Amino acid sequence: MTGLPSGLSVHPVPGLPEFAPGDDLAAALVAAAPWLDDGDVVVVTSKVVSKVEGRLVRVEPGADREAARQRAVDDETVRVVARRGPLKIVQTRQGWVVAAAGIDASNVAADSLVLLPEDGDASARRLRARLRELAGVDVAVVVSDTFGRTWREGLTDVAVGAAGIEALDDHRGAVDAHGNRLETTRIAVVDELASAADLVKGKLAGVPVAVVRGLPLKRPADDADEGTRPLVRLPADDLFPYGSRDVVPSRAPAAGGLRPRTGEREAVAAAFRVASAALPEFPVVLRHGGEGDGAVDVHLTDALTTTTAVNAGAVIGAAIVQLHAQGWATRWEPVATAGGTSLVGRLWLGDPAP
């Protein structure tokens, strides 16, 4: 067939060895792919990068491998997002939200577990520089890993490290063919490259590297290369910070103090409206107000009885969960003695202290 339009091509790199800590990944790549050229994108599975960097957890003979894996997940976790049985969706130190902290027990010896690279972007930069040193080629590098996807079955590879390529292609402000201005469109180019490469690497073929050729690269300057950092969604933009099963158990009083944050009165008012609507069987009317100091006094308007106290506790608890789900840190201080006053407690809220 003739006259085919130009486009991308994706090429597996077979013949690579089984890697171990300290191996020269770049040298093995140059030997296996002497055809590497300027402008190529080298996509390397994170497992290989972690192996050569020694990001392994040893499982002692006779030890329970799954128990060791769960301990490693806990060590790599900064926040549990959701869980179901032994499965945990967590946020890692690198900022990724992923099942089991991205710890892999497949395609590795039974006495080891593989962690994600400590810093996938730094790994990509080192590999890119080493390929330039050995082969004289100017390539981009993407470090990939397999992630699940919210609300969709099936797995796909995404980028957990990148160098020499802009992670996002930002179309905001552009105008389409119909005159519509794009407001939110940003394409995760490095994720799409990771997925394309996985089509030729496969999961069981023992091919951990692929090369994408023909993509016009948007290259950041070396001193401005952010790698995959632009892909990490900031807490303020995260509409789903907690799994529905974990909102209540993940709520804990702020132990390290609170930093002031504006808008506490509005947030508390909204939280109590939600709580009251969710618990109409607890007809407790609360008065709340603050002085902009992060403290909100909560009062009962009815006489203090066991019933009103229990009902107030239910509504306050629901309000605190709502505040927590909205990103507020809280600390509840009940009054020392409730006799003779309508005040039942003071709710402190703000941002967690660093």
Side-chain angles (χ1 to χ4, degrees), residues 188-209:
V189 175
V190 291
D191 284 348
E192 293 185 328
L193 287 167
S195 293
D198 191 53
L199 292 174
V200 301
K201 289 188 300 177
K203 298 300 181 192
L204 301 174
V207 179
V209 182

Side-chain angles (χ1 to χ4, degrees), residues 224-241:
D225 192 343
E226 296 184 274
T228 53
R229 291 302 87 195
L231 299 175
V232 178
R233 179 162 287 165
L234 299 176
D237 298 324
D238 188 355
L239 297 180
F240 311 100

Side-chain angles (χ1 to χ4, degrees), residues 46-122:
S46 65
K47 186 175 299 179
V48 165
V49 173
S50 292
K51 284 181 178 180
V52 300
E53 293 180 348
R55 289 279 290 164
L56 302 172
V57 174
R58 176 169 169 75
V59 180
E60 298 298 330
D64 185 328
R65 195 172 189 227
E66 180 56 27
R69 183 169 178 261
Q70 291 298 331
R71 288 193 296 271
V73 170
D74 291 341
D75 290 342
E76 294 294 306
T77 296
V78 297
R79 179 170 66 92
V80 176
V81 176
R83 77 189 79 198
R84 179 177 293 177
L87 174 63
K88 295 178 183 177
I89 308 298
V90 305
Q91 183 179 18
T92 68
R93 288 193 295 270
Q94 298 89 341
W96 308 122
V97 175
V98 60
I103 295 172
D104 209 332
S106 63
N107 292 313
V108 65
D111 64 350
S112 297
L113 300 168
V114 184
L115 310 178
L116 285 177
E118 184 74 32
D119 183 340
D121 294 328

Side-chain angles (χ1 to χ4, degrees), residues 31 72 91 104 116 121 123 128-129 146 153 159 171 175 197 205 209 258 274 289 324 351:
Q91 183 179 18
D104 209 332
L116 285 177
D121 294 328
S123 301
R128 180 176 182 238
T146 303
E153 293 291 347
H171 294 277
V175 178
V209 182
L258 296 171
V274 170
H324 180 65
D351 287 329

Side-chain angles (χ1 to χ4, degrees), residues 261-275 288-296 319 322-323 326 328 347 349:
R261 174 177 167 186
T262 60
E264 79 271 8
R265 291 188 65 178
E266 294 80 4
V268 168
F272 278 130
R273 282 195 295 270
V274 170
H288 46 86
E291 299 298 333
D293 57 0
V296 176
Q322 173 69 10
L323 288 164
Q326 293 293 329
W328 291 85
L347 181 63
L349 62 163

